[in-house]
Amino acid sequence: MGSAAAYHLAARGQRVLGLERFTPAHDLGSSHGGSRIIRQSYFEDPAYVPLLLRSYELWEKLKRDSGTDVYSITGGLYMGPPESATFTGSLRSSQQWGLDHEVLTDREVHQRFPAFDPAPGQMALFERLAGFARPESTVGAHLRLAEAAGAELHFSEPVISWADDGDGVSVITAAGTYRAAQLVVCPGAWSPVLLSDIGVPIRIERQVMYWIGSAAGSEPMAGAPIYIHENDHVEQIYGFPAIDGPGGGAKVAFFRKGVECSPETIDREVHPVERAEMQARVTELLPGLSGSVVDAATCMYSTTPDENFVVARHPGHANVVVACGFSGHGFKFVPIVGEILADLVIDGATGHPIDLFDPDRLVSP
């Protein structure tokens, strides 16, 4: 979100200083792992769909302007029991906003996509325009475009604190102190520290991503759609085609099966019992994805109590804009969040519908 904000602000002629505690497009937060799902048939809430429609336009602009394949369209399957949130929520958003979709039975899913074998009676929504974004490439593209537009970007410079004195803001880093008219804070898993006074409880959770190989002699995930699957135990997984070739495996992960942590205490090791649990769960849906775990990596969710974002002017500081609490489903919104943050800084408001993201909804009296 910070890289997108730096780009959109600089592209509109603002003088921009960007501060990052690590290296560009690093793997210590929430924006790594090679792929993130993009989709419009949003089971979480139809209110997100207008933002997604604009985000898709900005994904295409970013791809064109950067000359980088930051996203790809594969189609998407959202599967589960007929009453599941994954299926019914996706259908509700598709119908409300007239999105291109099809409803499939478990047999129809298997006929069209033989790698998938949903349990009898399960239903699926197929969205033609779903796909995946490349997070590292996306961050890198925004950074390059930001610099080309005049932004000054500092890396390996952790922010220690910030203050708003009414006439502007001060930011103290490991290297010095900076003054500016306004501040945009996009701290990810560092939100509880850098935004401790916003009044929103944000839970930091350790999540694990896995890359699993196919059974000997089969390549079931070549050319497959992205997918989200909910089983009878209300347990969701999500996954991708084999986008890095057969040797790279196919990425899959549990959605919201995390352990509370902090950036300082997160366990970066992925343990054998975790690998075995993921292998057992994914073969419920994809019997051919039964090879070994080729790779695994951890990341962090920053989750709000209602799992909706926080994107707004800081309720206690007129010169500060915040973007945090993306709750494990934010990356597809990166381009439009950058645009919204630039709107809030330059115009004081945005025409995009962001009432859902007002932090006051979560602040105790």
Side-chain angles (χ1 to χ4, degrees):
M1 305 303 179
S3 65
Y7 160 62
H8 280 277
L9 284 163
R12 295 198 211 174
Q14 302 299 302
R15 186 181 178 203
V16 175
L17 169 65
L19 299 166
E20 162 62 52
R21 69 183 295 119
F22 298 118
T23 56
H26 60 81
D27 62 356
L28 297 173
S30 307
S31 301
H32 60 282
S35 56
R36 290 291 187 276
I37 286 176
I38 59 173
R39 54 191 168 94
Q40 296 178 350
S41 299
Y42 222 59
F43 67 80
E44 288 87 345
D45 193 322
Y48 282 91
V49 175
L51 297 172
L52 288 161
L53 296 176
R54 174 58 178 160
S55 198
Y56 264 59
E57 294 174 351
L58 293 173
W59 277 113
E60 181 58 28
K61 185 177 188 301
L62 179 64
K63 184 175 186 176
R64 182 176 64 250
D65 291 351
S66 68
T68 305
D69 287 333
V70 291
Y71 81 100
S72 298
I73 298 300
T74 63
L77 283 170
Y78 317 126
M79 299 165 280
E83 70 282 0
S84 66
T86 303
F87 173 69
T88 61
S90 300
L91 181 60
R92 181 173 66 252
S93 286
S94 295
Q95 292 175 334
Q96 181 171 327
W97 292 100
L99 303 176
D100 187 349
H101 71 284
E102 297 176 68
V103 173
L104 305 175
T105 66
D106 60 286
R107 291 184 179 181
E108 289 170 333
V109 169
H110 186 63
Q111 289 170 354
R112 188 179 302 189
F113 307 103
F116 294 86
D117 191 17
Q122 291 192 351
M123 299 294 294
L125 183 137
F126 177 71
E127 179 189 2
R128 185 177 61 83
L129 290 178
F132 65 89
R134 293 278 195 177
E136 294 90 345
S137 297
T138 298
V139 174
H142 276 128
L143 294 176
R144 289 192 301 275
L145 291 172
E147 286 190 307
E152 180 182 344
L153 305 178
H154 293 192
F155 298 97
S156 301
E157 187 170 343
V159 171
I160 297 170
S161 65
W162 59 268
D164 176 11
D165 60 19
D167 295 324
V169 293
S170 299
V171 176
I172 299 174
T173 75
T177 301
Y178 304 93
R179 288 281 301 174
Q182 297 195 62
L183 173 66
V184 179
V185 187
C186 305
W190 288 261
S191 297
V193 175
L194 290 177
L195 292 175
S196 59
D197 66 342
I198 199 172
V200 175
I202 295 178
R203 172 185 166 95
I204 310 305
E205 300 167 326
R206 172 186 179 270
Q207 304 288 338
V208 183
M209 303 171 282
Y210 305 83
W211 288 259
I212 298 180
S214 302
S218 71
E219 296 299 340
M221 300 308 291
I226 62 92
Y227 60 92
I228 302 171
H229 179 251
E230 182 176 332
N231 63 14
D232 290 337
H233 305 292
V234 198
E235 182 182 64
Q236 288 176 309
I237 60 170
Y238 65 93
F240 301 80
I243 61 178
D244 296 315
K251 181 181 170 184
V252 63
F254 288 104
F255 189 43
R256 307 201 184 286
K257 193 178 179 69
V259 176
E260 189 165 1
C261 68
S262 73
E264 293 73 34
T265 63
I266 182 174
D267 181 4
R268 297 284 182 183
E269 181 182 356
V270 180
H271 302 279
V273 65
E274 295 177 298
R275 296 169 183 255
E277 183 182 27
M278 185 76 261
Q279 288 173 297
R281 173 63 178 87
V282 75
T283 54
E284 290 180 20
L285 176 68
L286 293 152
L289 203 61
S290 57
S292 61
V293 175
V294 176
D295 197 7
T298 59
C299 69
M300 289 177 282
Y301 285 4
S302 304
T303 304
T304 65
D306 63 3
E307 298 174 0
N308 293 316
F309 311 156
V310 174
V311 182
R313 281 210 167 271
H314 192 299
H317 300 281
N319 297 318
V320 181
V321 175
V322 301
C324 61
F326 288 96
S327 304
H329 62 114
F331 200 88
K332 61 188 72 64
F333 296 90
V334 162
I336 192 171
V337 168
E339 182 172 74
I340 290 168
L341 294 173
D343 290 345
L344 294 175
V345 168
I346 297 169
D347 303 324
T350 181
H352 294 300
I354 61 169
D355 289 348
L356 187 63
F357 310 145
D358 188 334
D360 284 347
R361 75 188 192 275
L362 298 171
V363 177
S364 300

